[in-house]
Amino acid sequence: MSLADFQQKAETLDKSDKLASFRNQFIQNEEIYLDGNSLGRLPKQSLELSKEIIENQWGNRLIRSWNEQWLDLPNRIGTKIAKIVGARPDEIFVGDSTSINFYKLAFAVLNYQQFKNKIITDSLNFPTDIYVLQGLINQQFKNHQLQILESKNGINISEDEIEAALDGSTALLTLSHVLFKSAYKYDMLKINQLARKKEALVIWDLSHSAGSVPVNLNENNADLAVGCTYKYLNGGPGAPAFLYVRKELQEKLINPIWAWFSHENPFEFSLAYSSKNNIQKFAAGTPTVLSLAATEPGLDLLIEAGIENLREKSIAQSNFFIELIQEYLLPLGFSIASPLDVNYRGSHISIQHDEGYRINRAMIEPLSGNRSIIPDFRPPNNIRLGIAPLYNTFTELLETVIRIEKIVSEKEYERFGIEKLAVT
């Protein structure tokens, strides 16, 4: 297909895009932004809402806003996240960070499964989840063993390998639903069924899937999950995370962090701890009102658009993107480090090149006359190209690939050294 044919195809797809109007709900600039899988764009309504909270709710109403606006925020936000990830409202807690929530759930599972001592994850999981598991073994569960399944291809672990690792001693299996480097998407239902046969509990990390692919926690019989709100949910930098606990498990699991907002009557100020008996038992300290409230407009946009519609567009865009990569970038030494089968792929695509980091820098800091294109880099040589269907266009994807082709063919990346910035 010629470049003119690709241009015409991109324009046609953009004109027929039923989600195109959502792009105008976000703050835009001249750059092409393909890092929504790391930090989503700012919804215009979040800007207005934050101003209202700071100037009026905090500035004028002060402490009265706890009763008027703030105390119910976690429940309200949790109900909206539940719609997006396919859970019941009383199964989602919103607050703290993903790492803290993962710690709570991992501790709770290992404490509950006291007669089992095996923990399974994979080498492609997000490192912080593995760090938390290592810390739990080092500090509290010293007789436990962590088995990290090694990927043979750098893209995934097969279901057969997971099934072979599971046995009667397995307390916990934990995986990322969509892997952060390759975008490989596990079959959640199948994995949950395999674990249940061995009476092992499963914690899913939804950080790269919530808001980008249908998660359907209840339909997939999920036990537990954690996730962040600042990627595809467009909640803002450092926005509070969430956790999910299947209703039937809530009474059986103990939150290891006994704190004020998980107490059944926090404003009685009793010196004896007594836990709530619902999902709010997994709360800890005071809700972070400013960042928590700012997540709501992004969630509203996702709910309005519909996760199935978002997935449909994501599939169309990622397929188009891969077609472009195969045509223009593979001849230049690139490889695709994401599944080609869309049924096993999330909403970002990783491409690899020996000069991946410097190419990434050249995309972000272009020569005069070129638009900046924002991806991100993950070692050793992955350029991640995140597609956020709410605001990315097909034309942007075409321009991105043509720009990368020029950067490599004209060796523009040689302007940069190999020293890496603190955030890549």
Side-chain angles (χ1 to χ4, degrees):
M1 189 182 296
S2 68
L3 177 57
D5 291 333
F6 276 120
Q7 288 173 331
Q8 183 177 9
K9 183 176 181 178
E11 291 170 4
T12 300
L13 288 167
D14 282 334
K15 287 177 182 177
S16 63
D17 177 14
K18 60 187 176 183
L19 298 180
S21 62
F22 285 94
R23 179 179 172 87
N24 297 324
Q25 300 300 314
F26 293 86
I27 301 296
Q28 298 289 336
N29 49 31
E30 292 301 316
E31 68 196 17
I32 295 175
Y33 190 69
L34 293 174
D35 207 10
N37 55 309
S38 193
L39 175 66
R41 277 197 180 276
L42 170 62
K44 292 178 180 177
Q45 189 57 39
S46 293
L47 194 61
E48 296 301 316
L49 178 61
S50 296
K51 183 178 179 182
E52 150 67 16
I53 293 170
I54 292 171
E55 291 184 353
N56 182 38
Q57 295 179 25
W58 180 11
N60 294 325
R61 299 306 293 165
L62 292 166
I63 196 70
R64 290 166 292 189
S65 287
W66 276 108
N67 284 322
E68 295 169 354
Q69 303 278 353
W70 299 341
L71 205 56
D72 190 51
L73 260 179
N75 287 326
R76 192 168 80 234
I77 301 297
T79 296
K80 294 184 176 183
I81 291 175
K83 291 181 180 179
I84 293 169
V85 299
R88 293 169 41 169
D90 59 357
E91 293 175 322
I92 298 288
F93 162 76
V94 187
D96 302 316
S97 69
T98 310
S99 297
I100 291 174
N101 285 336
F102 184 78
Y103 171 83
K104 294 175 195 173
L105 295 190
F107 184 105
V109 169
L110 299 181
N111 181 70
Y112 173 65
Q113 301 266 60
Q114 291 186 17
F115 300 104
K116 298 184 172 201
N117 66 352
K118 185 176 179 180
I119 306 167
I120 301 173
T121 189
D122 65 26
S123 62
L124 304 174
N125 203 354
F126 197 73
T128 193
D129 293 5
I130 297 176
Y131 302 158
V132 169
L133 296 173
Q134 291 169 341
L136 283 167
I137 292 172
N138 179 264
Q139 297 159 14
Q140 289 108 344
F141 299 93
K142 297 184 182 294
N143 292 325
H144 284 63
Q145 296 180 340
L146 175 62
Q147 181 177 359
I148 301 176
L149 304 178
E150 291 291 337
S151 173
K152 296 180 176 65
N153 58 12
I155 294 177
N156 73 317
I157 303 287
S158 72
E159 292 169 359
D160 289 342
E161 290 173 287
I162 293 171
E163 183 175 18
L166 289 163
D167 59 32
S169 68
T170 306
L172 171 64
L173 167 66
T174 181
L175 302 166
S176 288
H177 184 211
V178 172
L179 298 176
F180 81 104
K181 282 189 182 179
S182 70
Y184 179 85
K185 181 171 71 70
Y186 279 110
D187 184 332
M188 182 183 287
L189 178 59
K190 180 69 177 296
I191 299 298
N192 288 339
Q193 290 171 337
L194 293 176
R196 196 149 295 172
K197 289 179 182 178
K198 302 298 182 180
E199 298 183 338
L201 293 176
V202 183
I203 301 176
W204 290 99
D205 189 328
L206 308 178
S207 295
H208 284 83
S209 56
S212 69
V213 302
V215 176
N216 299 326
L217 290 169
N218 287 163
E219 287 184 19
N220 288 319
N221 296 321
D223 297 318
L224 308 110
V226 297
C228 70
T229 62
Y230 50 77
K231 301 183 191 297
Y232 293 106
L233 300 184
N234 304 299
F242 65 92
L243 62 79
Y244 157 86
V245 180
R246 180 163 51 87
K247 182 68 174 176
E248 294 78 10
L249 282 173
Q250 290 175 19
E251 290 186 5
K252 301 174 182 178
L253 302 182
I254 296 173
N255 179 3
I257 305 174
W258 291 10
W260 188 25
F261 267 73
S262 63
H263 194 283
E264 62 177 348
N265 292 301
F267 289 94
E268 288 186 0
F269 301 102
S270 168
L271 297 186
Y273 181 75
S274 180
S275 172
K276 286 184 171 72
N277 61 4
N278 56 28
I279 191 65
Q280 296 304 318
K281 74 190 292 184
F282 292 97
T286 305
T288 52
V289 170
L290 296 180
S291 57
L292 179 58
T295 66
E296 193 163 17
L299 300 175
D300 288 338
L301 290 172
L302 286 164
I303 292 169
E304 182 183 351
I307 192 65
E308 295 295 341
N309 293 328
L310 288 164
R311 179 58 173 165
E312 180 183 351
K313 181 179 175 181
S314 171
I315 289 172
Q317 288 189 306
S318 62
N319 284 340
F320 179 61
F321 216 179
I322 287 174
E323 189 178 0
L324 289 164
I325 291 165
Q326 289 172 329
E327 179 73 23
Y328 292 101
L329 300 186
L330 295 192
L332 296 177
F334 284 89
S335 59
I336 299 173
S338 295
L340 297 181
D341 184 345
V342 71
N343 295 307
Y344 293 94
R345 186 174 71 236
S347 199
H348 67 275
I349 295 170
S350 283
I351 56 176
Q352 295 180 335
H353 191 280
D354 290 343
E355 290 288 355
Y357 180 70
R358 295 203 291 175
I359 295 168
N360 177 74
R361 290 285 304 277
M363 293 170 69
I364 297 170
E365 303 174 49
L367 294 169
S368 177
N370 294 303
R371 277 211 286 178
S372 177
I373 300 173
I374 312 292
D376 65 16
F377 175 82
R378 293 294 178 263
N381 58 355
N382 293 276
I383 301 173
R384 293 196 311 176
L385 304 164
I387 298 170
L390 279 180
Y391 50 76
N392 285 134
T393 68
F394 288 87
T395 303
E396 286 180 326
L397 304 182
L398 172 60
E399 185 176 337
T400 294
V401 171
I402 298 305
R403 179 81 189 103
I404 295 173
E405 181 195 37
K406 184 177 180 182
I407 288 170
V408 175
S409 61
E410 298 184 8
K411 297 187 177 181
E412 291 182 23
Y413 60 84
E414 291 183 349
R415 295 184 293 123
F416 300 93
I418 62 173
E419 302 79 13
K420 293 182 174 60
L421 300 175
V423 177
T424 61

